[in-house]
Amino acid sequence: MSIPFNKSDGPSLGVEVELQIIDLESRKLVPLAPQLIEAVNGNPHIKTELLQSTIELNTSVCEDVQGVRRDLEELKAVVEPICENLGCGLISCGTHPFSSWTEQQTTDDPRYQQLIDRVQWPAQRLMIFGLHVHVGMDSGEKAVAVFDQLANYIPQFLALSASSPFWQGNDTGLASVRTKVFETLPTAGLPEQLINWGEFQTFMNTLIAAGAIESIREVWWDIRPHPGFGTVELRMCDGAPTMDELLAITALIHCTAVWLSEEYEEGHLPPLARHWILRENKWRAARWGLDAPIILNEEGKQENNAKVIRRMVEDLSPLSRRLNCHAELLRVLDILHRGPSYLRQRAVYEQTGKFESVVDALIEEWKTGERVSP
């Protein structure tokens, strides 16, 4: 079966944000998505997810990060008054600090029910919340080439977004436990390395013929070509607690993907990295975040993750001006300076000894856009 790639005319952007719905009294997840969805009167950019304690905000096809900002701020302005009327709040981070997955209610949708019936326990405990970024590509061949190379940068995008140190009332010792929970799905985790669009089509058809998936939508790699949207979709990020952090990460992703796209056109892409290096670097980023020692080559040379990110910002700075996201890209340096969410959450808990205080801080961060320092 041929799989057409609906090419994008330019390096467009699209963003999906999975938000947690929080009861303001208990600070637990609360299954109010059906009421929220009913109140927005069919707005196509506000959707349900697997759990009834989640809503997704998704942008239209945007030209740049400024368009992403406008769309998300408009959607945020729509849902916040509804939440106030329902007595709930919203937070954006990779996991809830203390709610239990066994208490969650799933959305009554055939797609989600089929997932749970098939996968069972790994799907039942998907109490996780992410940030997905789509970057437009003008051909399937380019999409595969860029998607292969983007796997090198999973540790940087993941560390900047890492916001899930806690799981069901326990400190996991990780910067992103969401990453490890998601990897238990049979088609999630690191992407396969593919030669070209033809191999992508063959592989997807093989998976369908073998009964491993029913459609391409069930391949939940950290990065994947999205034929229907004509994009490369990056899915490794935890939810970002503030709009500024979300946009900074989006800007870094956009610049990196466009830079690789231009390198592809000029024939300058390097050989693919060894899969073991990609796997080990992703694990290190999930464990240590910005402090992770990143493996650079097969000789085992290493460099601090934050230093790698700082160099990326410097190298991509000229391109960011062309893509109209220079200010947002520079905010990546602010994340390095002030620390990502996993560090802030731990600091709040260490000071208060209460996971409820962590949730309160996250509610405040998403509502006001100001990062909370204990």
Side-chain angles (χ1 to χ4, degrees):
M1 178 181 69
S2 175
I3 303 174
F5 186 83
N6 297 324
K7 69 176 185 177
S8 299
D9 292 332
S12 56
L13 269 176
V15 171
E16 303 164 8
V17 183
E18 296 168 350
L19 298 176
Q20 305 180 39
I21 308 172
I22 304 297
D23 178 80
L24 293 179
E25 292 188 6
S26 68
R27 279 73 150 211
K28 289 185 176 182
L29 290 168
V30 61
L32 289 178
Q35 292 91 319
L36 272 167
I37 294 300
E38 182 179 3
V40 299
N41 296 317
N43 187 319
H45 296 288
I46 303 172
K47 297 182 177 181
T48 57
E49 261 293 337
L50 173 65
L51 301 182
Q52 290 188 25
S53 52
T54 313
I55 58 165
E56 178 188 284
L57 309 183
N58 59 79
T59 70
S60 57
V61 178
C62 302
E63 290 186 1
D64 52 28
V65 173
Q66 308 310 319
V68 171
R69 179 192 294 276
R70 286 191 296 271
D71 279 11
L72 289 180
E73 288 182 343
E74 288 175 6
L75 293 169
K76 189 168 178 276
V78 169
V79 299
E80 284 186 340
I82 299 170
C83 288
E84 290 180 8
N85 291 335
L86 292 172
C88 62
L90 297 172
I91 65 176
S92 176
C93 65
T95 56
H96 188 279
F98 66 91
S99 284
S100 171
W101 65 264
T102 60
E103 298 173 349
Q104 304 309 306
Q105 298 178 31
T106 56
T107 300
D108 186 16
D109 181 287
R111 180 187 174 212
Y112 297 136
Q113 296 306 315
Q114 288 170 11
L115 171 65
I116 291 173
D117 289 344
R118 178 184 178 88
V119 179
Q120 290 295 306
W121 181 76
Q124 293 166 4
R125 67 178 192 140
L126 285 178
M127 191 179 66
I128 56 175
F129 312 86
L131 165 67
H132 301 168
V133 180
H134 292 260
V135 182
M137 296 285 148
D138 58 19
S139 73
E141 296 294 343
K142 179 187 287 185
V144 168
V146 171
F147 133 93
D148 277 335
Q149 294 289 333
L150 280 168
N152 291 305
Y153 302 96
I154 288 174
Q156 288 74 55
F157 304 143
L158 175 57
L160 287 167
S161 70
S163 59
S164 54
F166 304 121
W167 178 252
Q168 300 192 125
N170 294 287
D171 190 329
T172 65
L174 305 180
S176 173
V177 70
R178 169 192 164 273
T179 301
K180 310 318 291 181
V181 174
F182 198 29
E183 284 177 348
T184 61
L185 290 183
T187 57
L190 281 178
E192 296 292 326
Q193 294 181 332
L194 302 171
I195 298 172
N196 53 33
W197 183 249
E199 187 177 27
F200 174 80
Q201 293 182 86
T202 299
F203 187 36
M204 293 301 109
N205 285 323
T206 299
L207 291 176
I208 292 170
I213 61 173
E214 292 186 5
S215 74
I216 297 175
R217 294 178 69 190
E218 296 170 20
V219 175
W220 293 298
W221 293 335
D222 295 327
I223 311 168
R224 66 181 182 184
H226 198 300
F229 291 165
T231 64
V232 169
E233 180 185 6
L234 295 92
R235 306 166 51 85
M236 77 291 292
C237 291
D238 283 2
T242 68
M243 190 69 73
D244 277 351
E245 289 170 295
L246 185 158
L247 295 170
I249 295 163
T250 300
L252 183 63
I253 288 173
H254 196 207
C255 289
T256 304
V258 172
W259 169 67
L260 289 170
S261 174
E262 294 178 353
E263 290 292 289
Y264 166 79
E265 291 173 352
E266 295 174 7
H268 292 161
L269 291 180
L272 298 180
R274 294 281 190 177
H275 198 267
W276 75 266
I277 294 178
L278 301 178
R279 184 177 65 248
E280 178 66 17
N281 281 343
K282 181 187 174 185
W283 153 247
R284 293 182 181 196
R287 169 63 179 91
W288 292 288
L290 294 181
D291 291 327
I294 298 302
I295 303 169
L296 301 179
N297 55 38
E298 292 183 42
E299 286 70 45
K301 183 180 178 182
Q302 301 172 63
E303 187 173 26
N304 173 265
N305 202 7
K307 187 174 180 180
V308 174
I309 294 169
R310 195 175 299 276
R311 187 170 62 250
M312 288 175 65
V313 171
E314 181 178 347
D315 291 345
L316 294 168
S317 190
L319 178 59
S320 73
R321 292 185 172 87
R322 176 153 55 92
L323 295 177
N324 196 27
C325 63
H326 184 60
E328 287 77 13
L329 181 69
L330 292 183
R331 288 196 181 99
V332 169
L333 301 179
D334 191 44
I335 298 175
L336 298 183
H337 176 67
R338 299 179 62 179
S341 179
Y342 70 91
L343 293 176
R344 300 201 301 274
Q345 289 182 50
R346 281 201 173 105
V348 171
Y349 183 74
E350 287 171 3
Q351 185 179 79
T352 66
K354 296 180 180 179
F355 287 114
E356 290 85 356
S357 298
V358 178
V359 175
D360 287 341
L362 289 163
I363 291 172
E364 184 73 10
E365 288 191 337
W366 180 253
K367 185 176 182 178
T368 66
E370 296 295 325
R371 281 169 282 189
V372 173
S373 298

